[in-house]
Amino acid sequence: MVDGAYNNDDRTQSGPGMQTRMTVDTTAEYQVLVHDFGAEYGGAAGAVINAVTKGGSNQFHGRAAHYLQDSKLDATNYFLKLAGSTPAKSGVKTMLANIGGPIIQNKMFFFANVERLRIRQAADLLYPKDAAPLAVSYSTFLPVGSENYFGRLDYQINQSNNVSVRAVFDVNRVNGQDHVVQLRTIQAMRIERVPRPGRRSSTGSGSG
């Protein structure tokens, strides 16, 4: 649950396939409910993760950060060193910035966050000569790219009522195995729903 809204991936059941991905800087607090939680949190047998997003206040607050992890700072894989090979260039780069504050003092507030993620995930493929004499060991990498844009607007009508609007735009460009499976699942769903010439609807039997 995010701000009381349902946020589960009911189709692929793994990864951020059809979920709204909330970043760390957009999360104000979270709660883990296990076992005997209330009926309003139904639909989960194990646990419920209840998250609340950040909002603005009467004072302006902001943050900017850059996280860098690069293969140049890491030691070479032991087996690659024995083989005389160099590791694939890999690393993680995360850049984020956010700001929040008042639009109208004591009445209207805003919060906005932008996060950009770039990952080059190295993979060392080593083939034993006895098992695969024709295979050549090599190193490669998996590119991962993502941008997450979050915005929240709050308007305090009176002491007992307020209106909140939130928007998330999450762009993922991932070639990982799990994401490829999810992409194929979504594409297959769309193909199944598109009526084809000479074919009946999905509720009847067609000739193909």
Side-chain angles (χ1 to χ4, degrees):
M1 308 287 289
V2 176
D3 289 333
Y6 186 78
N7 189 38
N8 281 329
D9 183 0
D10 294 327
R11 179 166 293 275
T12 61
Q13 299 295 328
S14 62
M18 302 183 78
Q19 284 177 296
T20 300
R21 188 175 68 93
M22 307 306 300
T23 63
V24 174
D25 268 38
T26 58
T27 304
E29 58 182 289
Y30 71 93
Q31 180 185 42
V32 180
L33 306 174
V34 295
H35 304 302
D36 298 330
F37 42 80
E40 68 270 23
Y41 298 112
V48 172
I49 311 300
N50 191 19
V52 178
T53 59
K54 289 182 180 179
S57 64
N58 276 327
Q59 294 181 340
F60 286 98
H61 293 280
R63 189 173 93 97
H66 180 254
Y67 173 79
L68 172 65
Q69 176 186 344
D70 195 271
S71 57
K72 296 179 180 179
L73 307 176
D74 298 334
T76 304
N77 182 285
Y78 174 77
F79 296 100
L80 281 179
K81 187 181 294 186
L82 290 180
S85 302
T86 57
K89 294 182 180 180
S90 62
V92 178
K93 297 179 181 179
T94 303
M95 292 163 283
L96 62 92
N98 57 66
I99 187 172
I103 298 177
I104 302 175
Q105 287 286 334
N106 300 319
K107 275 290 184 180
M108 184 178 292
F109 314 95
F110 79 96
F111 177 80
N113 182 79
V114 178
E115 181 172 313
R116 181 185 181 193
L117 175 66
R118 292 291 182 269
I119 300 176
R120 290 169 62 96
Q121 184 175 347
D124 299 324
L125 305 178
L126 306 176
Y127 301 97
K129 292 184 178 180
D130 296 337
L134 299 180
V136 178
S137 300
Y138 67 97
S139 298
T140 186
F141 69 91
L142 168 68
V144 178
S146 174
E147 288 89 29
N148 186 281
Y149 305 90
F150 173 82
R152 173 172 170 168
L153 185 67
D154 296 280
Y155 180 72
Q156 190 73 33
I157 301 174
N158 50 47
Q159 292 184 353
S160 303
N161 300 282
N162 70 289
V163 177
S164 296
V165 178
R166 303 157 186 82
V168 180
F169 182 62
D170 190 23
V171 182
N172 284 294
R173 292 183 293 274
V174 187
N175 296 328
Q177 181 179 0
D178 292 340
H179 291 79
V180 171
V181 172
Q182 294 173 14
L183 180 61
R184 290 174 180 171
T185 302
I186 297 173
Q187 288 177 343
M189 175 192 67
R190 292 173 179 169
I191 293 173
E192 291 172 356
R193 290 184 174 180
V194 175
R196 301 180 186 178
R199 185 174 182 179
R200 300 180 185 177
S201 63
S202 58
T203 56
S205 60
S207 57

